[in-house]
Amino acid sequence: MFKTIASLGATIGLAAVLASGTATIAVAQDKEPVKIGWSAWSDAEFATKLAAKIIEDDLGRKVELVQTDVAPLYQGVSRGDLDFMMMAWLPQTHADYYKRVEGQVETLGTVYDGAKLGWVVPSYVPESEIASIADLNKPEVKEKLSNTVQGIDPGAGLTRLSQEALKAYELSDYKLQISSEAGMLTTVDRAYRSEDWFVATSWSPHWMFGKYKLRYLDDPKKALGEAEHVDILARTGFKDENPEVADFLSRMKLPISDLEQAMFNAQETSYEEAVAKYIKDHPDQIKTWVGED
């Protein structure tokens, strides 16, 4: 099966890792491996590993997975160091990244629609106390939340938009706790078990909605954007050079409800097992994706 290149620090050159040859997979067809870039977000991990498994098993191609941060992903695809990525959140979340490479990449399709960014609170927090982001300015709410919004990676689009939301809602007393997805989830899990109040940056699809009872806060100022689509971006020329893979990717559509369930399964088992289960449970869908229908 495909092998994932270890996570790259922001200071490590993507090209150097790709040149290392540490992730070569032997399959029958002797072609250059398809290099897929991804960041360590649970939705991206499942969708990427699902695509990689199908490309290997059904299309007979080698696959290399390259894990790195978001900015190097866009750079890698635009420079041709990566063949494609499956996590372009548009039109707003990744607007800055996309603008820098527009014209140097090709869009192969949309993996899922209706993606959303926002801030969430646990359902045991009364809606009469916190219904919208504006309610975080209430003195009693500030105290219960310790003037803190639990955040994720510093380079994430959600982090940038959350910083703008603090300004838009005049939450100058609050600190956006920048960490990582894993760090945010650890804090959320600990607080949820104790039924402590918290507010955290989040997005859909995400497996956390399968594990915890959460609700999004209203965002009347649209500081965190509206519903988005998640696209597949490929290097220029990839589609012409790899028509079978490109056609498969253009047909690959994941309903968000299915994706969130698969992501939750991955947390309970592993991403490899969740991918295998998804393929087993959706044979007709997979056939349509690979063009067998």
Side-chain angles (χ1 to χ4, degrees):
M1 193 175 175
F2 51 85
K3 182 176 180 181
T4 302
I5 296 177
S7 177
L8 310 179
T11 59
I12 299 177
L14 179 61
V17 175
L18 293 173
S20 68
T22 57
T24 302
I25 310 91
V27 294
Q29 199 167 5
D30 186 21
K31 289 186 178 180
E32 285 296 313
V34 177
K35 299 183 179 71
I36 314 174
W38 65 290
S39 284
W41 300 351
S42 50
D43 56 324
E45 182 165 5
F46 179 80
T48 300
K49 290 185 174 179
L50 175 61
K53 180 66 172 171
I54 295 170
I55 290 169
E56 284 200 331
D57 290 357
D58 293 273
L59 305 182
R61 291 293 301 275
K62 302 175 184 178
V63 173
E64 290 181 8
L65 298 185
V66 182
Q67 181 186 343
T68 185
D69 295 330
V70 177
L73 276 185
Y74 278 86
Q75 293 169 3
V77 174
S78 67
R79 294 172 182 171
D81 296 327
L82 295 170
D83 287 315
F84 66 88
M85 56 181 281
M86 303 183 66
M87 50 177 295
W89 281 61
L90 298 168
Q92 185 167 354
T93 306
H94 287 174
D96 289 348
Y97 297 122
Y98 183 73
K99 186 176 180 180
R100 295 183 195 129
V101 303
E102 191 173 8
Q104 304 169 54
V105 296
E106 299 175 343
T107 301
L108 298 183
T110 295
V111 190
Y112 42 92
D113 292 297
K116 179 180 179 178
L117 301 180
W119 291 0
V120 297
V121 295
S123 60
Y124 54 75
V125 173
E127 197 163 356
S128 59
E129 294 294 320
I130 310 179
S132 77
I133 296 176
D135 290 331
L136 300 186
N137 265 315
K138 295 177 180 178
E140 64 275 18
V141 171
K142 289 182 183 181
E143 183 177 355
K144 289 225 175 186
L145 295 175
S146 301
N147 297 74
T148 303
V149 178
Q150 302 298 330
I152 56 168
D153 315 67
L158 176 55
T159 299
R160 174 180 58 82
L161 292 173
S162 293
Q163 290 168 331
E164 293 177 6
L166 290 176
K167 297 176 184 177
Y169 288 94
E170 299 180 349
L171 299 171
S172 57
D173 292 342
Y174 277 81
K175 174 186 178 183
L176 178 63
Q177 185 62 54
I178 295 175
S179 175
S180 64
E181 180 187 4
M184 177 271 288
L185 290 168
T186 297
T187 300
V188 164
D189 187 71
R190 186 183 305 117
Y192 196 91
R193 290 174 184 273
S194 303
E195 293 198 1
D196 293 333
W197 285 27
F198 65 84
V199 58
T201 62
S202 188
W203 61 94
S204 297
H206 199 291
W207 60 264
M208 67 192 297
F209 292 96
K211 184 172 183 178
Y212 311 110
K213 293 183 179 180
L214 306 166
R215 71 172 181 273
Y216 279 105
L217 298 183
D218 290 338
D219 177 15
K221 296 186 178 183
K222 305 299 181 186
L224 296 167
E226 300 184 71
E228 299 196 286
H229 48 87
V230 178
D231 292 350
I232 302 171
L233 298 185
R235 63 172 174 81
T236 301
F238 176 79
K239 183 176 181 179
D240 292 336
E241 297 165 17
N242 302 272
E244 191 176 20
V245 176
D247 286 348
F248 152 65
L249 294 170
S250 71
R251 290 188 290 263
M252 184 178 176
K253 309 291 182 186
L254 281 166
I256 281 188
S257 58
D258 288 356
L259 178 54
E260 286 187 330
Q261 181 59 55
M263 291 157 63
F264 182 67
N265 291 341
Q267 297 302 311
E268 297 296 299
T269 56
S270 69
Y271 281 94
E272 287 70 24
E273 289 183 59
V275 163
K277 176 175 172 54
Y278 192 92
I279 292 173
K280 180 181 178 182
D281 293 347
H282 300 82
D284 293 337
Q285 188 180 72
I286 305 303
K287 287 180 180 179
T288 298
W289 290 353
V290 298
E292 291 183 4
D293 284 353

